[in-house]
């Protein structure tokens, strides 16, 4: 339901505040699970469940999923082409790598770099196949039957599988790049560099996971407003952030099911409309 409040001062009386700082991304971290520091929440099954029940129009749900599949195909195609260029490049390093792979030198570091690249190529190819197939099948579903099929267990799994493969492909891509970098840049400072890069990577993932959690637990995917217009217009960015966080934490503590979260909102709105008509 929407949050209401009565403002006590106008916009001109409010003092400027610092709206961007460490607390902006640190405070929502309490909403995250451990794996959401490594994988962004939009690749989780929970995201797909919220998406399936938040979209009231079947066409909106279908179009959102097909657009995601299409963008993933473009992204994965770029990654696949770059991997094939590295694997079959004629430079000295990759030629040596292929030679050691053909010779079966299992104790050589470049052999395992080549193995990881090969696995990454096939994994990316499987990701392309799954996204292309899912794009074709989901786009064929009619507006009236989109909810029925895409909210089912098999429908949720089918829409989740391409996303999981995208995540695995990206991490496999990062793995062989890291292995190549360690081989090319030996020395003590490489550990410090990768430690800093790892911290920065976790920061990026956790920020987007935290924002995704706010979207999920405040009903941001639904058609209903999160707050009343008057309350929303009155708040500064920092006030909106705190209000969204409080609302998300309350929703987590209630442990409401995903269908129940959006059903309750729609039912409340329907009751209000019926009362106004009477």
């Amino acid at each position: 339901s929407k949050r209401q409040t009565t403002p006590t001062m106008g916009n001109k009386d409010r003092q400027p505040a610092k709206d961007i700082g460490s607390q902006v991304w640190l405070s929502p971290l309490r909403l995250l699970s451990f794996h959401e520091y490594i994988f962004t929440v939009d690749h989780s099954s929970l995201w797909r469940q919220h998406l399936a029940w938040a979209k009231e129009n079947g066409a909106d749900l279908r179009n959102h999923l097909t657009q995601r599949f299409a963008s993933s195909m473009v992204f994965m195609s770029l990654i696949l082409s770059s991997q094939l260029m590295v694997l079959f490049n004629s430079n000295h390093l990759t030629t040596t790598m292929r030679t050691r792979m053909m010779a079966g030198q299992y104790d050589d570091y470049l052999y395992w770099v080549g193995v990881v690249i090969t696995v990454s190529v096939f994994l990316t190819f499987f990701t392309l196949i799954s996204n292309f197939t899912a794009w074709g099948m989901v786009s064929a579903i009619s507006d009236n039957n989109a909810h029925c099929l895409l909210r089912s267990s098999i429908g949720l799994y089918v829409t989740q599988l391409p996303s999981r493969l995208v995540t695995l492909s990206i991490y496999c891509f990062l793995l062989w790049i890291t292995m190549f970098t360690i081989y090319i840049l030996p020395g003590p400072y490489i550990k410090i560099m990768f430690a800093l890069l790892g911290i920065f990577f976790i920061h990026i993932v956790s920020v987007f996971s935290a924002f995704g959690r706010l979207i999920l637990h405040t009903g941001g995917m639904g058609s209903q407003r999160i707050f009343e217009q008057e309350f929303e217009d009155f708040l500064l960015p920092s006030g909106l952030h705190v209000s969204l966080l409080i609302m998300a934490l309350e929703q987590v503590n209630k442990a409401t099911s995903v269908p129940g979260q959006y059903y309750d909102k729609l039912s409340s709105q329907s009751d209000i409309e019926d009362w106004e008509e009477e």
Side-chain angles (χ1 to χ4, degrees):
S1 59
K2 300 177 184 177
R3 187 184 299 273
Q4 297 182 2
T5 187
T6 302
T8 59
M9 60 180 178
N11 290 339
K12 63 180 181 180
D13 298 323
R14 289 183 289 169
Q15 298 296 322
K18 184 179 179 181
D19 293 315
I20 299 177
S22 59
Q23 291 300 318
V24 171
W25 66 274
L26 285 175
S27 55
L29 295 184
R30 69 189 78 175
L31 296 169
L32 303 185
S33 302
F34 175 75
H35 66 275
E36 290 168 355
Y37 289 91
I38 305 173
F39 308 101
T40 52
V41 71
D42 64 313
H43 291 289
S44 67
S45 58
L46 181 63
W47 184 272
R48 290 295 182 273
Q49 292 174 26
H50 275 267
L51 186 64
W53 267 271
K55 301 297 182 183
E56 301 174 34
N57 191 312
D60 293 339
L61 175 59
R62 184 194 62 225
N63 293 337
H64 176 88
L65 291 173
T66 52
Q67 289 172 9
R68 182 65 181 261
F69 295 145
S71 61
S72 296
M73 283 191 292
V74 174
F75 182 53
M76 288 294 102
S77 296
L78 295 174
I79 290 182
L80 180 61
S81 61
S82 64
Q83 291 180 142
L84 290 174
M85 288 176 63
V86 171
L87 184 61
F88 297 107
N89 198 286
S90 59
N91 66 62
H92 174 71
L93 183 60
T94 53
T95 300
T96 304
M97 179 187 69
R98 291 193 302 271
T99 301
R100 293 175 182 178
M101 290 176 66
M102 293 173 64
Q105 298 179 7
Y106 306 110
D107 57 342
D108 191 90
Y109 184 82
L110 281 179
Y111 172 87
W112 293 106
V113 173
V115 169
V116 175
I117 295 177
T118 304
V119 171
S120 184
V121 167
F122 280 100
L123 189 58
T124 306
F125 181 70
F126 296 154
T127 305
L128 278 170
I129 292 176
S130 65
N131 276 275
F132 179 75
T133 306
W135 175 78
M137 288 186 173
V138 172
S139 62
I141 301 174
S142 66
D143 298 354
N144 295 331
N145 295 317
H147 284 141
C148 179
L149 289 168
L150 297 176
R151 287 177 178 175
S152 65
S153 297
I154 184 63
L156 290 171
Y157 182 75
V158 164
T159 55
Q160 176 66 15
L161 181 60
S163 184
R164 290 180 177 176
L165 290 174
V166 167
T167 305
L168 290 175
S169 298
I170 292 174
Y171 273 87
C172 198
F173 181 75
L174 289 175
L175 177 60
W176 70 258
I177 287 180
T178 302
M179 295 176 69
F180 248 139
T181 305
I182 293 174
Y183 183 83
I184 296 171
L185 299 173
Y189 297 106
I190 192 68
K191 296 181 180 179
I192 300 176
M193 184 188 76
F194 276 114
L196 294 175
L197 289 174
I199 293 172
F200 185 54
F201 179 77
I202 291 175
H203 169 73
I204 294 173
V205 175
S206 62
V207 166
F208 282 102
S209 291
F211 182 61
R213 279 286 182 172
L214 287 179
I215 294 174
L216 296 181
H217 298 304
T218 59
M221 293 184 183
S223 60
Q224 305 300 318
R225 298 188 67 89
I226 298 175
F227 300 123
E228 292 287 351
Q229 182 71 51
E230 182 183 6
F231 178 69
E232 182 179 326
D233 293 341
F234 175 73
L235 292 176
L236 289 168
S238 57
L240 278 172
H241 172 75
V242 172
S243 300
L244 289 169
L245 181 58
I246 292 174
M247 187 176 185
L249 290 172
E250 290 177 352
Q251 192 66 40
V252 171
N253 292 333
K254 290 179 181 177
T256 309
S257 65
V258 175
Q261 179 177 338
Y262 295 98
Y263 178 78
D264 290 342
K265 286 190 173 185
L266 293 176
S267 298
S268 300
Q269 182 66 17
S270 177
D271 292 341
I272 293 173
E273 293 175 352
D274 293 340
W275 179 80
E276 289 177 347
E277 289 177 0
E278 293 177 359

